[in-house]
């Protein structure tokens, strides 16, 4: 795998963590026309620690192990293993790393909207929207953006559809310029 393939981040983020540091590209290279270009050094970023992500989720929501496992669509023994610091095997867990990362991102934003109260955060995650789906249901369908929008709608519902009306609406015959030529 080379640095230019673009799969290093995907493998580190959603697959098994990269075990060895990635070699940085050469400090400079020559262009076809003879110009030298200096490249900045590339620093490797570690994949998020699954143990920390689980710990954050449980702290922010007050969920028990089984509730966390239900939100991640996995078993409670897998959540216990992650909490204990055991590595996540991509072959056995599938896309659990991606689901954990998306749930962590959603809850980290929602807890700010819920004034960092675990009970209110849990309520926002489970409250259904106009379509009858909760943010957790959207996440389990793989729609992280819709999950966040449903949670925002739970905090502040959308207004009725229609045109905006100002505090001084125009009445017919009082406009200063004709509305139609």
């Amino acid at each position: 795998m080379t640095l230019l393939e673009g799969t290093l981040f995907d493998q580190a983020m959603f697959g098994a963590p990269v075990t060895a540091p990635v070699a940085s590209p050469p400090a400079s290279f020559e262009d076809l026309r003879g110009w030298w270009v200096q490249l900045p050094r590339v620093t490797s970023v570690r994949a998020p620690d699954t143990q920390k992500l689980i710990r954050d989720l449980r702290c922010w929501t007050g969920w028990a192990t089984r509730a966390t496992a239900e939100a991640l669509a996995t078993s409670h023994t897998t959540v216990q293993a992650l909490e204990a610091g055991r590595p996540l095997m991509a072959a056995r867990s599938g896309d659990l790393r991606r689901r954990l990362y998306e749930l962590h991102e959603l809850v980290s934003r929602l807890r700010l909207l819920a004034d960092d109260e675990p009970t209110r955060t849990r309520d926002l995650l489970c409250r259904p929207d106009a379509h009858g789906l909760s943010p957790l249901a959207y996440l389990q369908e793989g729609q992280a953006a819709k999950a966040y929008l449903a949670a925002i709608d739970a905090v502040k519902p959308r207004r009725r559809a229609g045109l905006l009306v100002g505090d001084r609406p125009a009445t017919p015959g009082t406009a200063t310029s004709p509305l139609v030529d």
Side-chain angles (χ1 to χ4, degrees):
M1 171 174 49
T2 65
L3 192 62
L4 299 177
E5 287 178 1
T7 59
L8 177 67
F9 178 77
D10 293 336
Q11 184 180 11
M13 192 59 117
F14 304 124
V18 178
T19 56
V22 178
S24 57
S28 63
F29 66 92
E30 186 175 352
D31 194 15
L32 294 175
R33 296 185 183 183
W35 293 91
W36 286 90
V37 177
Q38 290 286 63
L39 295 176
R41 288 280 181 199
V42 176
T43 57
S44 59
V45 179
R46 288 180 44 100
D49 185 18
T50 55
Q51 187 177 17
K52 180 189 176 307
L53 296 179
I54 293 285
R55 191 179 318 122
D56 287 347
L57 279 174
R58 293 200 48 197
C59 176
W60 293 338
T61 59
W63 279 337
T65 307
R66 289 186 189 266
T68 306
E70 186 179 322
L72 289 170
T74 188
S75 67
H76 70 282
T77 55
T78 303
V79 172
Q80 288 173 342
L82 291 175
E83 277 186 312
R86 293 193 206 114
L88 186 64
M89 306 299 255
R92 293 178 64 201
S93 60
D95 63 344
L96 179 60
R97 185 179 300 273
R98 179 190 56 80
R99 289 179 296 180
L100 175 62
Y101 185 70
E102 287 178 352
L103 181 62
H104 185 271
E105 284 293 310
L106 177 66
V107 174
S108 69
R109 290 184 171 107
L110 282 185
R111 74 181 183 93
L112 299 174
L113 295 174
D115 298 325
D116 212 6
E117 294 178 16
T119 54
R120 190 159 178 230
T121 305
R122 280 193 315 263
D123 180 50
L124 290 176
L125 284 168
C126 298
R127 189 179 301 169
D129 64 353
H131 302 290
L133 293 174
S134 68
L136 280 178
Y138 281 118
L139 267 185
Q140 289 172 348
E141 290 180 358
Q143 300 177 356
K146 284 188 178 181
Y148 187 60
L149 290 175
I152 288 176
D153 286 343
V155 173
K156 183 172 178 162
R158 296 182 186 186
R159 64 176 181 79
R160 293 180 300 137
L163 296 174
L164 294 175
V165 178
D167 59 345
R168 297 183 186 146
T171 56
T174 62
T176 57
S177 62
L179 298 176
V180 179
D181 289 326

